[in-house]
Amino acid sequence: MARGGRVRQIRLSKIAFPVTALGPGHRIALWVAGCSIGCKGCMTPELWSANSGTLVDHDDVLERLSNISMEIDGLSITGGEPFEQAEEVAALLMLIKERYPTWTVILFTGYHFEELTQRFKSADILIGLVDVMVAGPFQIGLSSKKPLIASSNQSLIACSQLGQIMIEEIKRQRKPIANLGIGQEGEDWLIGIVHADQRRNLQASLRNLER
């Protein structure tokens, strides 16, 4: 709860763990909902609407994280577009870092790094809570085989000293990987920076397994 008694909320779509496809180690992945960029070929167009996902109290997110018994190395925040909820994402991260100070933070944004502080209030606060950022709009014609980079115009940026070490670890990853997420309602989804040809192959393999 924020100062003055206001309940802080964030619009989320999914939480998944343990995730190994969105950064080093075993991570928790948070998908925020809402994005006005609308990149052609986006992997999560269902999260574009400002009314997608669910408004969740920060305290409820913390409670869910506290119920995870396995060892976690960090948090990866994607979407949707985190900076379109910069103030609320930053407020949640402050609470998480207070409780889990060793967790690292990776954040994916469809905006160029240089424009964030000009566009969004609290962008500088959010950037200060992040270790590694993947920044830039997805461009469908610019293929990339680099880990965590969906299109070659995007940048991998260290936002902290620890982030510089993490980037070297990320670069040593030989090829992109994916995890299979399974939701409470039985839906499943691919987690990771999976390119179109890889996604088709993985989906075909999953269909074969279901037969």
Side-chain angles (χ1 to χ4, degrees):
M1 183 175 293
R3 292 179 183 178
R6 182 167 71 91
V7 174
R8 301 299 293 258
Q9 294 182 313
I10 186 169
R11 187 168 286 278
L12 289 179
S13 173
K14 294 184 178 75
I15 298 177
F17 60 89
V19 171
T20 58
L22 293 176
H26 292 85
R27 312 185 68 79
I28 296 171
L30 270 65
W31 283 262
V32 302
C35 177
S36 63
I37 303 173
C39 298
K40 183 179 180 180
C42 173
M43 289 184 288
T44 54
E46 69 276 10
L47 301 184
W48 288 358
S49 171
N51 296 317
S52 60
T54 305
L55 277 173
V56 183
D57 292 353
H58 287 187
D59 288 345
D60 291 341
V61 177
L62 286 175
E63 182 178 0
R64 182 164 181 183
L65 298 185
S66 70
N67 289 330
I68 298 173
S69 58
M70 64 188 65
E71 185 174 342
I72 296 294
D73 298 296
L75 189 69
S76 294
I77 303 174
T78 183
E81 174 49 55
F83 276 92
E84 292 182 7
Q85 297 185 71
E87 184 177 355
E88 299 307 332
V89 174
L92 177 60
L93 273 180
M94 287 179 187
L95 295 174
I96 293 173
K97 280 180 167 286
E98 183 177 343
R99 186 172 295 186
Y100 306 102
T102 63
W103 284 9
T104 60
V105 177
I106 297 174
L107 185 144
F108 295 79
T109 176
Y111 291 95
H112 293 293
F113 183 80
E114 296 78 12
E115 63 182 318
L116 291 171
T117 55
Q118 299 175 6
R119 277 183 172 271
F120 301 107
K121 180 181 178 182
S122 302
D124 54 342
I125 298 173
L126 178 52
I127 292 168
L129 295 165
V130 171
D131 296 298
V132 172
M133 188 181 301
V134 180
F138 173 69
Q139 294 189 17
I140 196 168
L142 300 178
S143 62
S144 168
K145 299 300 182 182
K146 295 180 180 179
L148 302 190
I149 299 293
S151 60
S152 60
N153 62 298
Q154 295 176 325
S155 302
L156 194 61
I157 299 165
C159 300
S160 70
Q161 289 185 340
L162 179 57
Q164 295 175 358
I165 298 171
M166 291 174 65
I167 283 180
E168 293 306 312
E169 186 175 354
I170 291 167
K171 287 179 178 178
R172 287 195 294 269
Q173 183 179 318
R174 292 189 176 182
K175 58 183 179 179
I177 56 174
N179 302 133
L180 176 64
I182 302 176
Q184 294 179 345
E185 303 300 323
E187 80 279 13
D188 54 48
W189 72 100
L190 291 175
I191 300 171
I193 309 303
V194 183
H195 305 288
D197 54 344
Q198 295 171 318
R199 182 174 292 273
R200 284 191 292 269
N201 291 338
L202 288 168
Q203 289 172 336
S205 297
L206 289 174
R207 287 193 292 271
N208 290 332
L209 287 174
E210 291 171 354
R211 292 175 181 173

